[in-house]
Amino acid sequence: MAEQAEGGLCRVVVVGGGFSGLTAAVDAAETGAEVVLIEKNPYLGGRVAQLNKYFPKMCPPMCGLEINFRRIKTNPLIKFYTTAEVESITGSEGDFTVNVMINPGFIKDNCVSCNACAEVCPVERANDFNFGMDKTKAVYLPYNQAMPFKYTIDSRVCKGASCAKCVEACKYNAIDLSMKPEKIAIKANSVILATGWNPYDATRMDNLNFGKVKNVITNMMMERLSSVTGPTCGQIKRPSDGKVVNKIAFVQCAGSRDENHLEFCSYICCMASLKQTQYIREQNPDSEVCIFYIDIRTPGKYEQFYWKVKEDPNVTFTKGKVAKIEQAQGSDDVVVEAEDMTTGEKKRTTVDMVVLATGMEPSGASTKVNGFNYTPEGFGSPDKGLFVAGCSKNPMDVSKSAQDATGAAMKAIKSGQRR
Amino acid sequence: MSEQQKTEVTVKPDLEFVKDVIASGGGDLKKCYQCSTCTVVCSVTPDDKPFPRKEMLYAQWGMKDKLISNPDIWLCHQCSDCTAYCPRGAKPGEVLGAVRKMAIQHYSAPSFLAKMVNDPKYLIVLLAFPAIIFLALLHYQGFLFGEIPRNEMGQIAFSKMFYPTYYIDPVFVPAALFAVISFIMGIKRYWADMARNHPLPAGSDTTSSLIETLKEIISHNNFKKCNVTKDRSTAHLLVFFSFIGLAITTSWAVFYLYILGRPSPYPLYDPMKIVGNVSAIGLLIGITLVTNNRMKNAIKAGKGSYYDWLFISVIYVIAVTGILAQLTRLADIAPVAYFIYFLHLVFVFFLFFYAPFSKMAHMVYRTTAMVFARQAKR
Amino acid sequence: MEKKLALYICTGCGIGDAINVEKISNIAKNAQKVPVVKNHFALCGSEGLETIKADIANEGVNTIVIAGCSPRVKFEEFSFPGCIVERVPVRELAIQLIEKQEDQQIAAEDYIKMGVIKAQKGDMPEPFIMETVKTILVIGGGIAGMTSALQCADMGYEVVLVEKEAELGGFVNKLYKKIPTSLPYKEPLIVDTDIQATIKAVESNPKIKVYKSSKVEKTEGQPGAFDVTISTEGKEEVVKIGAIILAAGWKPYDATKLEHLGYGKFKDVVTGIEFEEIAKKGKGKILRPSDGKAAKKVAFVLCAGSRDPNHLPYCSAMCCASALKQTKYVRQDDDACAMVFYKDIRTPARTEYYYKEAQNDAGVMLAKADVIGVSDAGNGNMFVEMENSLLGERVKVEADLVVLATGIVPATLDDPIINLQYRQGPGLPDLELYNGFADSNFICFQYETRRTGVYAAGCVRQPMNMAEAQEDASGAALKAIQCAEHVAQGIAVHPRAWDKTYPDPFMQKCTSCKRCTEECPFGAIDEDEKGTPYFKPNRCRRCATCMGACPERIISFKDYHVDMIGTMLKSVSVPSEDDDPRLIVLVCENDAYPALDAAAKSGIKIDKAVRFVQLRCLGSTNLVWIADALSKGIDGMLLMGCKYGENYQCHFAKGSELANYRLGKVQETLSRLQLESERVQMVQLAIDEFEKVPQMINDFVERVKEIGPNPFKGF
């Protein structure tokens, strides 16, 4: 049974509940369109929910998310599904059917997030929200400001009915381990793809030895490591031995601007490293930061953000890409190797921890939504009635995603309302 | 460096030179965006003023002076680690190869020959030159359309072909002399240019640098540092030692002929013969490995240029014709044996006569650059 | 509306175990006269909800107080159309944040009492509806403006487009060629701009009225009902406008200020735009201005003015790719070379591909360098002199034409453009924070300005390239349409886009002190000829800063007013013991309150002394509340709001800053009461800083304890 549009100017389905998807959904709904938002994670917010701060204001992502969540909560035109994935989109401009698979989270909406289930759950899982740097139970709350504020069960590790300790523990009868995947078909006049991005797999750069050399992390891991809700409660300590990080190196373009990996520039990494430099400089006044780059790309007003960091005498910028990373002899320190092009010297720098400014791989590189066309890199290509917003369209930062998503909402409504 | 000490240099971009580098095998040169990945992954560069990133910039700007007389271009063994890791596909290894070729052309005289050696159009002409000389000699001896020469024992004897041997030596000796003179002239200019651009430290000693360099050449220690094309040093070493073996064989033969008065053929058990045959087989295996490596690494390291392949092909032909000439001689297939031997001679001539202009010259220029670099404490 | 109140106390989530529900029910029934008081183990469950729905249907209950969990959760369950719903977060504030059971009980009593008062004092919102139009005014007929105009027209809206020049097209008109708009960037790397097609589409669109050689003289009124005076060559016309898109574009940075780069000294030193004109005039041939000779050695100096503290402290974002494009003009002559000197090549995202293709050309040469000057080479050519170049430490390169990639400055730098007839001034506020760009302070909300109904697009907003400007134009178009639609329905726009309330002043008591007109972050309040404030509700974002500013307490919203909060504060229990202080913390509901929820979920405990009261924005804090509370014996008050300063996080731009400013004046109030000014303080708290809450509270509690108990205690 396909769900029919009920009211509003038109019905827009937004695929992806990250920052772009939320913005597109809210802006479309506030213009009068009916919106159905499909999110594959058990929570809304996507990639930005994992960020500690935004550049250049060093403000928390939850601040804007909270406003958008509130706009969703108060707007009857928006409906959203979490743990849901689009299986296919059929039809044509003005008359699409979006086939959605809702995967079971095994927790009903009447969950009150009391944590009783997690207390009795015997199974632990690597916490993917924190990039595996800590663990949660098989039943868990994705993060402490999650929307919806509801527990979920990782079906890959849950022992199911044979255990069912959580079912017993739940006073509200909110757990149903027999929940089955559910397929729904949603009628839509237009569709916005806002499936975002994934951090590029750093193990694929064999010369940077991520995963082999200790204390080499990615920039997204650094976000979690700096966040109060992260594995170290925001204390920037290196993973191997918990040592406070005094000297850190940022390796720019780790995978980006590289035809062997991501051929494009990932846009955000320069600003992200400048931001993370501030995390560590604020936390540890004696710390030293070395940033290795090809070009510092801080377009527009971000230039001042760059200047601010550049003024700090404990931060050095080296023009020259790091192309070799090795473990220091006899310690957990890390040696990065680069040519300082201004002096023309190939130098090895020993640091406590290395952050790889890994780029963004569009989600379409690994998972494609059947019905959309993609570029070879995996970026979505817009088509009649099918629009693409945010990082699934092009690498961009949060502010550009906000701008882009609003524009996509405009186009989607324009396309949808014609019929 | 203080402000005063900074001397202002005028950079003169040379578009024609850039086009030449591109045409000489550095076709992707312009894609380089100066990240220096190449320099970092390079296992053979010194840490101070490392290559090949700076060479890429010079080449992009057509700064010929900074490249041609730069010893660094010869410290590169074209491991192609740089090319494999280059994020832009600019193939620094190939670019340096192209620049080396241009350096050879620049320093070798006469320059028209350099141009010809590098241009497939002239291949026939270059081959025709020795072929005509040898054909003329054969005609003069009456072998061209006459009887097939055999020695007193009725054997096929290549020594009979141009008998007495001074028919052939007057060709090869001047040819070798020409090559040597051309090399000496080239190297003198090269050394002078290098010394002008990179003044040698006072009291530095060329002899000890040369000894050290020779040690390095024999061991191939630097070459062995290559990562992406690990097997190349082995292949090169094999070709290199085979050449040495063949050089020994040749001297040995000269000794037999002129001192002992023993013309060829020699029995297979003759020590000289053994050295010669082992070297020949070594050469064939070596050059086959070189070819295979190049094919295997083409994606990561680049396909190589005409210049590279001409050199490889010539060695191939020499090795194959040498071995076949002996086999056909032993099998007593007279016309074929002589024809193959004829081809062998033409290619050997080609290799030596054109050595100052072909990739063969790398042997001399690389050695010179290595000596210089060592002396300059590079 | 005749209100019938019901209080439902949820006893789930540990609430029932911690508190004496019966006692609280009795307080509500007896002291607060709540007609219906019920409790349930899980109100959010279907049975609980059925109970409420049954009461609505059968008992006529229409004002519902739910004492249970945070209003941020279970929002769908607890929404009852047609009813006033007041959520009291007993679970978080009274139970989870407080350690001991007896303290939890007192806190729950206080919070529920306050919730009931709020429900009693609030009314159902009724929207402010006035006659509006939905015509969109687009200022600027460049690529951004034209795109916005077409988008709005396609959506069915009337559009008025005002362009200052005699022709539409803006800077694109001057370009010889443009970068291809679609990937992949393969040859040809320069294509025709095709701007005429867009101009034609705009000019022939029946929904778009174009005013050329025109400017906006005056913008009066408010969203939905702007009166915009457009002057065209001396003639003036007034048009009714619903919302405005500001796409006034940019101009090149004044190159005469770049003397060191030889501009003005050498004829053959030109700006990027002049170079476009040269190429256009020569139909692709680059003939240098001085002698008309074909240029063979063209130097491009990037960041000419941009990224320079002496000139423009920002990156102009478009110059790198433009210069790369222009190298292709030069390279139409195969003997010519184009030399590019850059600080960093900035071709973000997939523009990188353009960089790669453009540089892959024998005659395009790039080098990182700090260009320090342009000097005479003596032969009619020039030397470009540079330092720290990869080519060498001090290097000069001869060029026969030098192109300065001059940066951009926004049209709003020295001209308000929109010419608002607002009390607070004609332009957009805060421009100085963004170097004159009409940018948003908000990362998440790119089109928000402090002038409701005015949305900027294109290079007037941020430096951007042509393709980006077109995308930007779509977004601004949507925001303008959204605004026109919302004001027609009497609903606020972002961030309270659901809010139907509006400020309703009791003007008879107004003393014309003008604090509201000065403080309103959105300039929503003008003054009439006599200086009396005059509210323009469609400009209002409902932050209630005016309500906080008003010393006469005459500004109210249906569901939010000074008396409501004041009464709530006065209802808070004051412990009789001297060493047992009672403190009230006023929290911003957008950021500080969610942080409290997170603190509660994380098991954080705070001092039992505090009671939190949520405000729409800290800017709505009225000083009378402080007097109210302290005179009742409350020992101290803490204001917990968003960060302020140039990177402010307040969703209403100035709310928290104004609250802080008002605190500076609280001294007077306190001294009248003979109280120490330190009893009232403000702290800044971001939404993610929940772990800092206990320390902040403890510090304050300690400070208040040091000061000693409020002498009014027990009165």
Side-chain angles (χ1 to χ4, degrees):
Chain A
M1 244 304 273
E3 215 180 293
Q4 295 295 327
E6 287 156 6
L9 285 174
C10 60
R11 159 103 53 85
V12 180
V13 166
V14 178
V15 189
F19 195 81
S20 300
L22 289 172
T23 304
V26 167
D27 268 337
E30 287 179 6
T31 315
E34 197 195 341
V35 176
V36 183
L37 183 65
I38 311 292
E39 168 57 49
K40 73 169 187 326
N41 283 329
Y43 56 91
L44 298 180
R47 197 57 69 193
V48 297
Q50 290 173 297
L51 301 181
N52 180 32
K53 305 274 180 197
Y54 284 155
F55 57 78
K57 284 173 68 181
M58 306 303 282
C59 54
M62 274 317 297
C63 169
L65 284 178
E66 175 70 18
I67 293 290
N68 281 340
F69 291 161
R70 191 160 176 198
R71 287 158 82 187
I72 288 178
K73 292 172 193 172
T74 51
N75 197 324
L77 286 173
I78 307 177
K79 187 168 187 177
F80 68 87
Y81 295 97
T82 49
T83 64
E85 281 174 273
V86 172
E87 294 204 311
S88 66
I89 300 168
T90 56
S92 57
E93 183 174 26
D95 182 24
F96 292 106
T97 303
V98 182
N99 297 298
V100 178
M101 168 75 85
I102 303 169
N103 297 307
F106 307 102
I107 309 281
K108 293 188 280 186
D109 285 344
N110 63 336
C111 164
V112 298
S113 305
C114 66
N115 203 45
C117 50
E119 276 162 25
V120 298
C121 178
V123 183
E124 283 197 327
R125 65 187 270 283
N127 185 0
D128 49 10
F129 192 80
N130 286 341
F131 299 96
M133 292 185 286
D134 63 353
K135 288 194 158 64
T136 71
K137 292 292 183 64
V139 55
Y140 64 101
L141 183 68
Y143 67 105
N144 80 344
Q145 290 178 313
M147 156 87 175
F149 194 63
K150 189 176 107 166
Y151 277 62
T152 189
I153 289 178
D154 186 340
S155 60
R156 291 166 300 180
V157 293
C158 172
K159 293 180 182 166
S162 68
C163 166
K165 287 204 171 80
C166 53
V167 179
E168 235 168 88
C170 182
K171 286 189 215 160
Y172 305 90
N173 192 23
I175 303 177
D176 176 6
L177 293 175
S178 64
M179 220 180 254
K180 293 277 174 294
E182 189 193 341
K183 281 187 183 188
I184 56 167
I186 305 166
K187 281 281 179 199
N189 302 103
S190 51
V191 184
I192 297 174
L193 182 78
T195 46
W197 60 284
N198 295 308
Y200 184 70
D201 177 5
T203 59
R204 277 148 73 177
M205 294 162 285
D206 58 0
N207 53 332
L208 301 185
N209 279 320
F210 174 80
K212 290 181 198 140
V213 168
K214 282 185 256 183
N215 301 321
V216 178
I217 65 168
T218 67
N219 47 5
M220 276 307 294
M221 290 166 82
M222 181 67 176
E223 288 297 321
R224 297 313 305 148
L225 217 47
S226 314
S227 167
V228 235
T229 56
T232 54
C233 298
Q235 296 301 306
I236 304 172
K237 293 172 179 167
R238 65 183 194 183
S240 79
D241 53 8
K243 187 187 155 200
V244 169
V245 174
N246 278 317
K247 191 167 183 188
I248 191 166
F250 287 91
V251 176
Q252 297 309 111
C253 295
S256 301
R257 301 181 68 189
D258 187 336
E259 61 175 37
N260 305 312
H261 303 284
L262 304 171
E263 200 175 348
F264 47 84
C265 157
S266 296
Y267 192 99
I268 54 164
C269 328
C270 283
M271 279 80 77
S273 292
L274 293 170
K275 172 182 74 171
Q276 294 177 349
T277 297
Q278 294 189 33
Y279 295 166
I280 187 136
R281 291 290 300 123
E282 267 162 35
Q283 206 172 95
N284 181 353
D286 299 325
S287 54
E288 275 178 71
V289 180
C290 317
I291 299 174
F292 296 88
Y293 69 95
I294 306 171
D295 294 288
I296 291 286
R297 291 185 167 174
T298 48
K301 63 182 168 190
Y302 294 139
E303 183 68 9
Q304 274 140 313
F305 187 62
Y306 172 33
W307 289 0
K308 189 181 162 204
V309 176
K310 216 162 54 165
E311 273 168 22
D312 184 338
N314 282 23
V315 181
T316 53
F317 288 84
T318 305
K319 181 164 168 69
K321 185 174 167 173
V322 169
K324 208 183 272 182
I325 297 178
E326 278 160 349
Q327 200 82 64
Q329 284 216 319
S331 82
D332 285 3
D333 294 351
V334 192
V335 181
V336 294
E337 199 172 318
E339 183 198 350
D340 180 343
M341 289 191 219
T342 47
T343 61
E345 213 176 329
K346 190 161 157 177
K347 63 179 189 186
R348 290 160 193 85
T349 313
T350 304
V351 295
D352 297 321
M353 187 167 83
V354 173
V355 177
L356 303 180
T358 36
M360 47 168 76
E361 187 174 64
S363 59
S366 47
T367 317
K368 292 187 171 51
V369 171
N370 187 354
F372 269 90
N373 291 322
Y374 287 86
T375 68
E377 307 97 322
F379 292 108
S381 307
D383 204 341
K384 280 188 179 154
L386 301 170
F387 302 92
V388 189
C391 296
S392 49
K393 175 171 151 193
N394 214 13
M396 58 182 83
D397 63 353
V398 177
S399 64
K400 273 211 166 0
S401 299
Q403 172 209 336
D404 197 52
T406 306
M410 172 82 194
K411 291 172 193 165
I413 295 175
K414 208 174 76 178
S415 151
Q417 73 155 9
R418 279 211 179 117
R419 268 136 257 258
Chain B
M1 210 183 272
S2 74
E3 286 298 315
Q4 288 78 21
Q5 281 173 305
K6 285 183 191 170
T7 43
E8 197 171 46
V9 187
T10 308
V11 170
K12 289 190 183 127
D14 181 346
L15 180 53
E16 289 313 307
F17 183 79
V18 178
K19 288 179 180 171
D20 281 353
V21 178
I22 290 172
S24 303
D28 294 304
L29 155 74
K30 281 290 185 162
K31 292 180 185 164
C32 165
Y33 63 5
Q34 294 284 297
C35 69
S36 209
T37 296
C38 46
T39 296
V40 178
V41 297
C42 178
S43 313
V44 299
T45 176
D47 287 350
D48 183 38
K49 310 279 180 245
F51 60 82
R53 196 267 311 155
K54 65 180 192 307
E55 283 69 19
M56 290 299 282
L57 184 73
Y58 298 152
Q60 287 185 319
W61 279 75
M63 293 160 76
K64 188 176 174 181
D65 297 346
K66 289 257 188 190
L67 286 170
I68 297 295
S69 65
N70 180 350
D72 285 7
I73 61 171
W74 290 108
L75 300 187
C76 164
H77 291 285
Q78 208 169 342
C79 314
S80 300
D81 290 355
C82 52
T83 296
Y85 283 95
C86 175
R88 276 294 182 102
K91 305 197 176 74
E94 301 258 282
V95 171
L96 258 62
V99 171
R100 283 191 292 271
K101 175 173 86 178
M102 292 168 79
I104 290 171
Q105 288 174 356
H106 177 80
Y107 288 109
S108 55
S111 60
F112 76 90
L113 269 180
K115 213 165 271 155
M116 288 171 77
V117 171
N118 189 33
D119 192 339
K121 281 211 293 279
Y122 297 108
L123 179 61
I124 298 297
V125 181
L126 296 177
L127 282 169
F129 177 53
I132 288 166
I133 294 175
F134 291 128
L135 286 174
L137 280 173
L138 283 177
H139 182 64
Y140 176 73
Q141 290 197 302
F143 293 143
L144 198 53
F145 303 108
E147 65 174 302
I148 289 165
R150 288 184 184 264
N151 67 2
E152 296 75 14
M153 331 218 347
Q155 292 166 316
I156 295 174
F158 295 136
S159 57
K160 286 282 168 210
M161 193 167 162
F162 299 102
Y163 189 82
T165 328
Y166 43 74
Y167 277 114
I168 190 165
D169 288 340
V171 178
F172 272 99
V173 169
L177 216 55
F178 166 79
V180 168
I181 290 168
S182 178
F183 269 131
I184 289 171
M185 284 166 60
I187 280 168
K188 274 182 79 172
R189 282 172 58 206
Y190 183 41
W191 189 277
D193 280 357
M194 283 194 293
R196 194 168 51 247
N197 291 339
H198 314 268
L200 286 168
S204 58
D205 169 28
T206 309
T207 319
S208 64
S209 301
L210 180 64
I211 290 164
E212 286 303 306
T213 301
L214 290 176
K215 279 187 195 164
E216 158 59 29
I217 291 174
I218 287 167
S219 68
H220 272 44
N221 274 341
N222 257 329
F223 203 165
K224 282 177 191 157
K225 290 181 191 161
C226 290
N227 286 324
V228 168
T229 55
K230 270 190 176 40
D231 312 326
R232 278 184 61 233
S233 61
T234 319
H236 188 267
L237 210 56
L238 195 53
V239 172
F240 173 74
F241 278 115
S242 302
F243 259 104
I244 291 178
L246 290 168
I248 292 168
T249 312
T250 310
S251 321
W252 206 326
V254 168
F255 173 76
Y256 274 3
L257 182 65
Y258 291 100
I259 310 293
L260 303 183
R262 277 178 61 196
S264 68
Y266 308 108
L268 284 176
Y269 53 78
D270 190 290
M272 179 209 76
K273 213 52 210 172
I274 293 169
V275 172
N277 276 326
V278 167
S279 302
I281 291 163
L283 185 66
L284 186 64
I285 295 170
I287 200 69
T288 306
L289 288 177
V290 166
T291 312
N292 285 348
N293 284 337
R294 278 193 169 261
M295 306 279 211
K296 193 172 70 194
N297 296 324
I299 296 165
K300 280 185 164 182
K303 290 195 285 282
S305 64
Y306 165 71
Y307 192 72
D308 299 320
W309 286 109
L310 176 68
F311 181 53
I312 292 169
S313 309
V314 167
I315 293 174
Y316 229 119
V317 174
I318 289 173
V320 169
T321 51
I323 291 166
L324 277 182
Q326 178 174 265
L327 291 177
T328 47
R329 174 175 66 79
L330 293 173
D332 203 31
I333 317 171
V336 179
Y338 280 110
F339 177 69
I340 291 172
Y341 183 62
F342 173 81
L343 281 181
H344 185 67
L345 288 182
V346 167
F347 277 89
V348 170
F349 182 94
F350 189 99
L351 182 69
F352 286 105
F353 189 77
Y354 302 126
F357 317 100
S358 79
K359 202 177 177 182
M360 186 73 175
H362 81 277
M363 179 178 83
V364 172
Y365 284 95
R366 188 182 297 280
T367 309
T368 311
M370 283 163 83
V371 172
F372 184 88
R374 214 169 275 276
Q375 199 173 336
K377 305 272 180 270
R378 193 74 188 106
Chain C
M1 177 174 114
E2 186 69 26
K3 290 201 293 186
K4 184 164 182 187
L5 202 68
L7 167 65
Y8 299 93
I9 303 170
C10 183
T11 58
C13 293
I15 300 170
D17 303 335
I19 64 171
N20 182 338
V21 175
E22 204 188 321
K23 188 180 169 204
I24 292 178
S25 302
N26 287 334
I27 296 173
K29 270 187 224 156
N30 304 328
Q32 295 190 291
K33 309 270 180 278
V34 180
V36 181
V37 179
K38 290 185 178 172
N39 64 66
H40 189 275
F41 169 66
L43 268 183
C44 59
S46 52
E47 197 187 283
L49 294 172
E50 283 315 313
T51 313
I52 300 173
K53 281 176 191 157
D55 289 350
I56 294 170
N58 307 330
E59 307 279 325
V61 166
N62 58 13
T63 304
I64 299 160
V65 180
I66 306 220
C69 49
S70 161
R72 295 173 62 253
V73 299
K74 306 287 175 201
F75 42 89
E76 223 171 319
E77 290 82 345
F78 294 128
S79 95
F80 304 104
C83 296
I84 296 170
V85 180
E86 190 50 46
R87 304 273 304 273
V88 184
V90 174
R91 180 178 78 176
E92 287 79 8
L93 301 184
I95 312 297
Q96 290 175 337
L97 284 177
I98 294 178
E99 186 122 46
K100 288 200 193 119
Q101 198 167 353
E102 72 252 40
D103 300 322
Q104 290 172 337
Q105 171 71 21
I106 305 167
E109 285 171 18
D110 279 347
Y111 284 121
I112 294 173
K113 250 190 298 181
M114 285 198 280
V116 169
I117 293 168
K118 197 170 183 195
Q120 284 169 334
K121 297 250 172 197
D123 277 314
M124 202 66 183
E126 284 162 36
F128 170 83
I129 303 215
M130 64 182 286
E131 198 180 313
T132 61
V133 296
K134 293 176 183 173
T135 307
I136 308 295
L137 168 68
V138 178
I139 306 175
I143 190 74
M146 289 196 294
T147 308
S148 284
L150 287 169
Q151 298 273 20
C152 294
D154 279 0
M155 284 276 283
Y157 292 82
E158 298 292 332
V159 177
V160 171
L161 178 65
V162 176
E163 166 57 47
K164 67 178 189 315
E165 303 289 337
E167 288 303 322
L168 295 180
F171 271 106
V172 183
N173 266 337
K174 296 192 194 271
L175 303 184
Y176 165 55
K177 299 269 179 178
K178 67 171 182 182
I179 295 170
T181 36
S182 58
L183 290 155
Y185 300 121
K186 296 287 176 207
E187 288 293 344
L189 291 174
I190 44 176
V191 297
D192 289 338
T193 62
D194 268 341
I195 191 72
Q196 291 306 326
T198 313
I199 294 174
K200 207 177 149 204
V202 169
E203 291 189 331
S204 63
N205 193 310
K207 290 218 166 269
I208 305 176
K209 187 162 185 207
V210 180
Y211 290 79
K212 290 188 273 199
S213 307
S214 302
K215 66 174 294 216
V216 171
E217 288 297 334
K218 278 198 295 194
T219 301
E220 294 169 288
Q222 54 186 320
F226 283 120
D227 289 307
V228 178
T229 307
I230 299 168
S231 72
T232 310
E233 289 161 346
K235 289 194 302 271
E236 289 198 345
E237 193 179 331
V238 179
V239 289
K240 274 268 182 226
I241 293 296
I244 299 170
I245 296 169
L246 174 61
W250 59 283
K251 52 193 174 184
Y253 182 63
D254 182 3
T256 58
K257 292 181 184 160
L258 303 170
E259 231 173 289
H260 65 294
L261 297 178
Y263 189 83
K265 189 173 166 199
F266 302 106
K267 277 188 178 164
D268 296 324
V269 176
V270 299
T271 66
I273 283 291
E274 286 165 355
F275 185 70
E276 292 285 348
E277 288 167 335
I278 289 171
K280 199 169 187 178
K281 208 172 117 200
K283 297 200 168 62
K285 282 210 173 62
I286 308 299
L287 306 175
R288 58 184 205 165
S290 66
D291 53 10
K293 271 204 291 199
K296 297 285 180 189
K297 287 179 277 189
V298 183
F300 292 87
V301 179
L302 295 186
C303 299
S306 301
R307 303 181 61 190
D308 183 340
N310 299 317
H311 298 281
L312 303 173
Y314 51 84
C315 158
S316 295
M318 58 166 77
C319 327
C320 284
S322 290
L324 288 167
K325 174 193 76 173
Q326 290 171 347
T327 64
K328 302 286 116 183
Y329 300 176
V330 176
R331 289 291 296 151
Q332 291 183 99
D333 173 355
D334 192 44
D335 295 330
C337 58
M339 303 169 286
V340 181
F341 303 104
Y342 63 88
K343 287 184 187 167
D344 296 279
I345 288 286
R346 292 185 170 172
T347 47
R350 280 183 288 172
T351 320
E352 183 70 11
Y353 301 172
Y354 192 76
Y355 174 23
K356 187 173 178 178
E357 284 304 314
Q359 77 165 144
N360 191 17
D361 176 337
V364 175
M365 292 152 185
L366 294 109
K368 181 182 167 76
D370 295 333
V371 174
I372 52 166
V374 172
S375 61
D376 198 343
N379 54 357
N381 290 347
M382 293 142 293
F383 281 127
V384 179
E385 302 189 13
M386 62 203 82
E387 283 182 342
N388 304 320
S389 167
L390 293 180
L391 296 168
E393 270 195 77
R394 282 278 269 127
V395 163
K396 57 182 180 181
V397 180
E398 192 179 317
D400 51 15
L401 182 63
V402 177
V403 182
L404 305 180
T406 39
I408 71 164
V409 292
T412 39
L413 180 69
D414 43 20
D415 183 350
I417 309 276
I418 40 178
N419 290 317
L420 298 170
Q421 303 297 296
Y422 285 20
R423 187 209 182 273
Q424 291 183 356
L428 293 171
D430 283 354
L431 292 182
E432 67 286 354
L433 288 179
Y434 322 112
N435 307 109
F437 286 94
D439 204 349
S440 166
N441 172 66
F442 300 105
I443 290 163
C444 308
F445 311 109
Q446 281 291 289
Y447 296 101
E448 294 312 321
T449 68
R450 281 177 55 197
R451 290 297 174 256
T452 308
V454 181
Y455 303 95
C459 283
V460 76
R461 199 169 76 74
Q462 277 171 4
M464 60 180 81
N465 65 32
M466 213 191 295
E468 287 170 327
Q470 281 165 282
E471 293 289 328
D472 201 35
S474 296
L478 187 82
K479 296 308 286 188
I481 289 170
Q482 235 176 46
C483 177
E485 291 294 344
H486 272 220
V487 296
Q489 299 165 53
I491 314 175
V493 295
H494 178 91
R496 294 179 65 88
W498 61 86
D499 197 347
K500 292 195 181 77
T501 67
Y502 58 94
D504 190 7
F506 185 64
M507 290 307 293
Q508 284 91 324
K509 282 180 72 185
C510 174
T511 60
S512 303
C513 75
K514 303 188 181 95
R515 279 185 207 164
C516 58
T517 60
E518 278 165 20
E519 289 191 5
C520 174
F522 306 100
I525 313 163
D526 284 342
E527 286 153 21
D528 65 13
E529 311 78 51
K530 284 179 272 173
T532 312
Y534 185 84
F535 282 68
K536 300 275 166 55
N538 288 354
R539 294 184 198 164
C540 169
R541 306 281 183 92
R542 282 68 166 173
C543 58
T545 292
C546 50
M547 175 180 124
C550 181
E552 299 301 315
R553 292 159 274 158
I554 60 165
I555 302 168
S556 310
F557 296 77
K558 279 273 189 286
D559 62 355
Y560 191 57
H561 44 85
V562 178
D563 174 50
M564 170 192 274
I565 305 292
T567 312
M568 284 161 65
L569 301 183
K570 284 188 275 188
S571 77
V572 171
S573 65
V574 179
S576 51
E577 301 297 315
D578 271 0
D579 59 350
D580 195 1
R582 174 69 70 239
L583 309 168
I584 287 176
V585 183
L586 300 178
V587 293
C588 156
E589 68 179 18
N590 304 301
D591 292 73
Y593 179 71
L596 295 179
D597 270 0
K601 175 63 191 165
S602 308
I604 285 169
K605 302 290 175 204
I606 51 142
D607 199 289
K608 62 176 182 172
V610 298
R611 299 289 179 265
F612 296 100
V613 175
Q614 293 168 248
L615 304 182
R616 276 189 185 186
C617 172
L618 220 51
S620 64
T621 306
N622 196 300
L623 291 185
V624 76
W625 296 339
I626 293 169
D628 284 349
L630 295 193
S631 60
K632 281 286 287 182
I634 299 291
D635 296 282
M637 276 181 87
L638 187 65
L639 275 61
M640 201 176 255
C642 303
K643 308 231 161 171
Y644 52 84
E646 67 175 39
N647 280 334
Y648 61 82
Q649 290 174 20
C650 174
H651 291 284
F652 300 101
K654 293 280 155 193
S656 55
E657 190 177 331
L658 287 168
N660 187 53
Y661 159 77
R662 274 177 222 147
L663 276 198
K665 301 197 292 189
V666 82
Q667 190 80 44
E668 194 190 317
T669 316
L670 294 177
S671 55
R672 210 168 52 227
L673 295 166
Q674 291 180 321
L675 287 169
E676 301 78 1
S677 63
E678 283 165 285
R679 288 189 188 275
V680 185
Q681 282 179 22
M682 176 163 170
V683 286
Q684 298 175 56
L685 184 81
I687 194 166
D688 63 339
E689 292 176 328
F690 58 90
E691 92 294 356
K692 290 189 180 160
V693 173
Q695 192 58 46
M696 281 178 174
I697 300 285
N698 283 347
D699 287 349
F700 187 59
V701 171
E702 284 314 305
R703 188 70 204 105
V704 170
K705 278 183 179 166
E706 275 167 35
I707 299 166
N710 183 341
F712 288 94
K713 205 171 216 184
F715 276 88

